[in-house]
Amino acid sequence: MVVHPIPKPVYLVAFIFCVNHIWLFPEFASAEHEGVIRHYKFDIRLQNVTRLCHTKRIITVNGKFPGPPIVAREGDRVVVKVVNHVTNNVSFHWHGIRQLQSGWADGPAYITQCPIQTGQSYVYNFTIVGQRGTLFWHAHISWLRATLYGPLIILPKLGETYPFAKPYKEIPILFGEWWNADTEAVISQALQTGAGPNVSDAYTINGLPGPTYNCSTTDTFKLKVKPNKTYLLRLINAALNDDLFLSVANHSLTVVEADAVYVNPFNTNILLISPGQTTNVLLKTKSHTPNATFLISAGPYFTGQGTFDNSTTSGILEYTTQPMSKPLSILKPTLPAINDTNFVANFSQKFRSLANDKFPAKVPQTVQKSFFFTVGLGSNPCPKNQTCQGPNGTKFSATVNNISFALPSRALLQSYFYGKSNGVYATDFPSFPLVQFNYTGTPPNNTHVSNGTKVVVLPFNTSVQVVMQDTSILGAESHPLHLHGYNFFVVGQGSGNFDPAEDPAKFNLVDPVERNTAGVPSGGWLAIRFFADNPGVWFMHCHFDVHLSWGLRMAWIVLDGELPNQKLPPPPSDLPKC
């Protein structure tokens, strides 16, 4: 008989820690390998959560708010089994993942899949190709992403380094919103009455409102740091409806990445981050321990005419070696004015690609398909025998080229793949506005919109340019536009109306920033370019969920190429059915 010695306590503790670490963070279990399969399971369940002294049952992934991180390396395959235990239908989007030949895993409900119904499951299966950095995952149906979101961190391949000095530590920081009310009831009521929805009760940092809100002193994110160290902060704006200014009191930030693409580093004391955007920044701590703690504050940028959450969330940066014998002063940052469009314009134009041999900026130099899209608000007539609370008794709507996109009852990708588009979608989405007007001047008297499910069809590998023009109909405001399945280059932006004769000469075709989400300036325009080299059906929409719900969305169909690796494979057998 073999007698096994009892482990010494220190070894036992170490063993238990390692087992728990692998169980809690399976993404690190085989981090020494390259091109591995990372398995995750998302159990969608209700969980009691208390914020602002208000307890409510929210929909969560694995009982966590925010949800658990997904961590992988460039080249890895990620497999996420989602099991729906709640009465709501759900679907998930892996925001910013290119989904090359895996469009069935992209996730927007009724675009690439029907939602996962109660008691059903679906396995999202995709490989991360040519990407590294910070992204995030979130629900992509109705307003469920209010609580269903989490970080998606892509580490470089083994042996690859960052194009900047390795940081001492990396910390994901997610900005979100908290509603005391049920967000599904909030948007349902707004769509029924035609009015703007009620706004959130607080902004959050990693799910915590912070000390600026009542009953939230203990619900505060704390970043503990050491002197003379460099920290990589992985910033994610997962808020539903708000651009956010961010600043750390008495500390400078160096921006090194945007939307999982390295950028030419620049320093700033304040940054803007829109819903759907991610920004990696380096924070260098002070060389000695200061006699103070420092607030990390985030507050809204807003130029529209409606209501919004005019509050500020804060976390605390504190040095771990601070003396405990006397109280420390608390230093607060100063954020820009809520409507500081000049700061936003100047900040957004600081972003440039690295554009070097290792990380080239492959921006299309010529354009085969050019589009001009107006984006903004409008109205729908109030149904008979109903009182509506939108502008002049109408219902709020939102459009691209004055078309408010209606979600189909069948998923577009399935309809396209099987050639059954009749009655599901039309392919006559206009390339230019059907009615031209002074887009940022005096709005037209008629604010009514058209409604439909229309798409743009693109041949494979077409070079595309899209100019997106904000309108002053029912008020000018910024629109963070997100394109699924692609990164794009922001080649130009400006205020007022786009001038097709003068503005293209100013485009940056050398080192423009590469993103998956970019803000159309309030009262201005944004020009982007990309190659349509990813076959499938791809959603493009405003990442303000209220505008998304009102119809500020459209879809692209990119046809297959000639080679096998340029074709969309058939759907998986467990793809949810409507």
Side-chain angles (χ1 to χ4, degrees), residues 155-224:
L155 302 174
K157 290 182 178 180
L158 285 173
E160 295 287 336
T161 60
Y162 298 130
F164 46 83
K166 183 179 180 180
Y168 171 71
K169 196 173 182 180
E170 304 180 8
I171 300 102
I173 298 179
L174 295 90
F175 302 99
E177 292 172 278
W178 172 265
W179 273 262
N180 287 332
D182 176 7
T183 50
E184 290 302 279
V186 169
I187 185 57
S188 177
Q189 180 184 30
L191 293 177
Q192 182 177 0
T193 64
N198 292 335
V199 300
S200 57
D201 294 283
Y203 298 111
T204 59
I205 301 178
N206 287 358
L208 302 171
T212 56
Y213 297 97
N214 291 334
C215 195
S216 299
T217 302
T218 57
D219 288 335
T220 299
F221 168 73
K222 292 187 177 181
L223 176 58
K224 297 180 182 293

Side-chain angles (χ1 to χ4, degrees), residues 312-388:
T312 301
T313 182
S314 292
I316 295 176
L317 184 150
E318 58 185 20
Y319 285 72
T320 56
T321 55
Q322 287 168 326
M324 303 299 293
S325 57
K326 57 182 178 180
L328 301 174
S329 59
I330 300 177
L331 300 183
K332 302 178 181 179
T334 300
L335 298 178
I338 287 171
N339 61 349
D340 194 341
T341 55
N342 287 332
F343 173 89
V344 172
N346 291 333
F347 177 76
S348 62
Q349 293 185 30
K350 292 181 179 179
F351 288 84
R352 292 286 188 271
S353 291
L354 286 179
N356 57 27
D357 291 340
K358 189 172 184 179
F359 302 105
K362 298 180 180 179
V363 56
Q365 298 296 306
T366 59
V367 174
Q368 293 170 303
K369 293 282 188 180
S370 184
F371 300 88
F372 183 85
F373 291 166
T374 55
V375 293
L377 304 184
S379 64
N380 271 314
C382 189
K384 292 183 178 180
N385 302 320
Q386 181 180 335
T387 300
C388 294

Side-chain angles (χ1 to χ4, degrees), residues 425-502:
Y425 65 85
T427 58
D428 59 346
F429 192 94
S431 300
F432 298 88
L434 299 180
V435 178
Q436 299 183 13
F437 59 97
N438 183 359
Y439 305 115
T440 56
T442 303
N445 293 328
N446 183 8
T447 64
H448 288 177
V449 306
S450 59
N451 301 273
T453 308
K454 299 175 182 289
V455 304
V456 173
V457 178
L458 293 172
F460 181 80
N461 212 33
T462 302
S463 57
V464 180
Q465 176 177 292
V466 186
V467 175
M468 292 177 280
Q469 173 73 60
D470 183 37
T471 70
S472 59
I473 301 174
L474 303 183
E477 57 184 297
S478 64
H479 299 280
L481 264 293
H482 172 49
L483 176 59
H484 288 228
Y486 287 89
N487 285 345
F488 53 76
F489 292 95
V490 179
V491 297
Q493 56 190 310
S495 60
N497 294 336
F498 174 73
D499 186 340
E502 300 290 337

